[in-house]
Amino acid sequence: TLLDNNPLTNTDHFLGICQEAIDYHVKLDWNQGLDHRKLRPEIVSMMTMVSHAEYRFAFDSPAYYKSVDKAISMLKDGRINRSLWYVLVGFNTTFQEDLDRVNFLRDRGQQAYIQRFKRPKNDWRHIALAQWVNQHHIFYAMTWQQFLETEHSKKRHYDKLVMQL
């Protein structure tokens, strides 16, 4: 498990770590979000050769749609079809912008993971969003609206959510 919070800052260092992992048959776990904006074809190529846990990236702002889409395409070109994307919500965004980002990832076959910036007690929308998104079997099985209509969700949040939406 590597605890470097931005290993792609120095491409040579990142590639060196990957090469050592290959040489010594070590499985890597980059447990922090990699900077998707730093991806290059040679980096993705090296990433495909490394035994690894799931790659994780950050999608912290709606301003990154274009670069996230480019990164997903580059990863898929390199046969890394699914990665996990941390999605920061409740910080400088509307709820709709947060929902749009997770649906963007879902539509591209990526996993999302909600990270709430603020945790007010009555933030039912973001609590429910995290319950939907962070349970990947539910996230892929149903849409947001379908999730809201489930008995489980209705019992917990539906009335409060309807008032906020």
Side-chain angles (χ1 to χ4, degrees):
T1 299
L2 299 164
L3 302 176
D4 187 338
N5 65 352
N6 198 354
L8 286 174
T9 299
N10 182 328
T11 301
D12 292 336
H13 178 67
F14 180 84
L15 294 173
I17 291 171
C18 291
Q19 189 59 55
E20 283 188 39
I22 293 167
D23 293 347
Y24 293 103
H25 308 287
V26 173
K27 182 176 181 176
L28 293 181
D29 180 4
W30 306 95
N31 76 338
Q32 310 256 350
L34 298 170
D35 188 342
H36 71 276
R37 298 166 300 174
K38 303 280 187 181
L39 288 178
R40 304 288 176 268
E42 64 274 10
I43 293 171
V44 173
S45 178
M46 182 65 84
M47 290 168 68
T48 63
M49 294 187 281
V50 174
S51 175
H52 64 281
E54 184 172 55
Y55 286 118
R56 300 172 188 96
F57 299 92
F59 188 3
D60 290 338
S61 167
Y64 294 135
Y65 272 105
K66 187 174 180 180
S67 60
V68 168
D69 198 36
K70 180 180 176 184
I72 291 169
S73 294
M74 195 180 312
L75 290 163
K76 285 185 175 186
D77 288 346
R79 296 180 321 272
I80 299 174
N81 294 319
R82 181 179 286 177
S83 297
L84 183 130
W85 293 80
Y86 297 122
V87 180
L88 180 65
V89 300
F91 177 77
N92 253 356
T93 55
T94 66
F95 178 78
Q96 188 61 51
E97 288 171 326
D98 297 336
L99 180 60
D100 290 345
R101 280 185 292 148
V102 297
N103 279 322
F104 177 86
L105 293 169
R106 185 176 188 262
D107 292 345
R108 283 156 182 75
Q110 302 298 298
Q111 293 191 85
Y113 187 86
I114 295 294
Q115 293 188 302
R116 291 184 290 143
F117 179 72
K118 296 179 183 174
R119 296 180 187 231
K121 290 183 181 182
N122 296 323
D123 183 17
W124 302 111
R125 293 178 303 174
H126 283 112
I127 292 168
L129 186 67
Q131 289 176 340
W132 173 55
V133 172
N134 294 353
Q135 297 181 76
H136 297 132
H137 64 286
I138 296 174
F139 183 56
Y140 287 107
M142 62 183 71
T143 65
W144 169 244
Q145 191 59 43
Q146 290 168 332
F147 173 74
L148 291 179
E149 293 169 0
T150 64
E151 288 304 314
H152 172 75
S153 184
K154 282 182 180 178
K155 287 178 188 174
R156 294 179 146 209
H157 307 295
Y158 193 76
D159 293 337
K160 295 168 190 167
L161 282 165
V162 169
M163 291 187 324
Q164 289 182 5
L165 293 175

